Amino acid sequence: MEQFLQKAGAGSCSLERREQVRELAVGRMQRSELPDEDRLRWGRLALAAISGKYADGLTQQAMAEAAHVRVYMIREFGTGDADAVRDLSALCSDILRHLGVSYEVAVRLSEEWRAAPREQMLHLRRIKNMLAALLPVRALLDSDDPVIRETLVWLDLVPRLP
C-alpha cells in the first residue's frame, strides 16, 4: 500500500481509491492486536492517503481529517517531538495556520453564524472540525508554549461554532 501511494502520484490515483486506502489504513491503525510499529505505519499511510486526496493543497477538510488521525496516534502512542506526526505543538500550529481567520473575527462570526451566508457557515464548521479533533488530547495541552496557549483559547470557542 505504501508503494502504491508513492507510485500513484497525485493525478494517477482516483479520489475514491485514496479514500479507500485512508479508510483501510485508519481501521488497521486502530487494531490493538497489531504491533505498535505496524499501527504507526498504518497511521502514516492514512495521512499519506489524505494528503494525496487533497493534492491541490492541504485544505481545511484535509487538515481536519489529518488532525483526527494524528490525535489518535498521540493518544495511543504518546507525543513525540522527534516524530512530527505525533508532535502536539506542531499539530496545534498546523491547525492554527489553517483556520483562515483571526480569533477576534471568529468570535464575532460565531455570535451571528445563524444569519451568516452558507459559505461563511461552512467555513466556521470547518474551523470547528479542525479544532474539535484536539478535544480528546486537551489534557495534554498544558505547556507554556505560546502555540499551545493560543490553541487553548481557540478550543474554548468550539461550543459556539456551528
Side-chain angles (χ1 to χ4, degrees):
M1 296 293 255
E2 291 166 335
Q3 291 175 356
F4 169 76
L5 283 182
Q6 287 174 353
K7 289 179 184 176
S12 64
C13 183
S14 71
L15 293 177
E16 294 81 17
R17 181 58 51 111
R18 289 189 185 277
E19 178 58 17
Q20 289 171 343
V21 171
R22 185 201 65 80
E23 286 181 21
L24 174 67
V26 167
R28 296 279 169 87
M29 172 187 70
Q30 295 174 342
R31 292 181 65 178
S32 59
E33 68 272 11
L34 293 176
D36 289 354
E37 301 162 10
D38 292 348
R39 293 173 68 199
L40 286 165
R41 280 181 75 187
W42 282 111
R44 284 180 176 68
L45 183 63
L47 293 171
I50 292 166
S51 179
K53 200 169 113 178
Y54 300 96
D56 58 347
L58 197 62
T59 65
Q60 290 177 329
Q61 182 62 36
M63 186 68 245
E65 288 183 33
H68 283 283
V69 170
R70 291 172 68 182
V71 164
Y72 181 85
M73 293 170 76
I74 290 167
R75 277 187 20 236
E76 286 293 308
F77 309 109
T79 59
D81 295 339
D83 181 359
V85 170
R86 293 185 296 131
D87 182 334
L88 191 52
S89 180
L91 174 57
C92 291
S93 181
D94 290 345
I95 289 172
L96 292 175
R97 194 172 38 257
H98 285 86
L99 294 176
V101 294
S102 69
Y103 178 77
E104 294 74 22
V105 169
V107 168
R108 183 178 52 76
L109 294 174
S110 73
E111 293 168 354
E112 54 196 46
W113 70 262
R114 286 176 179 81
R118 180 179 187 277
E119 196 52 44
Q120 197 172 60
M121 275 190 216
L122 290 174
H123 183 215
L124 291 173
R125 184 65 183 175
R126 287 188 295 267
I127 290 171
K128 182 176 186 172
N129 289 340
M130 287 185 284
L131 292 169
L134 293 170
L135 293 176
V137 292
R138 188 177 191 147
L140 300 176
L141 298 172
D142 62 359
S143 168
D144 286 335
D145 180 342
V147 170
I148 300 289
R149 286 196 310 259
E150 182 180 356
T151 301
L152 287 169
V153 170
W154 276 94
L155 287 178
D156 289 337
L157 185 60
V158 169
R160 298 181 352 213
L161 295 171

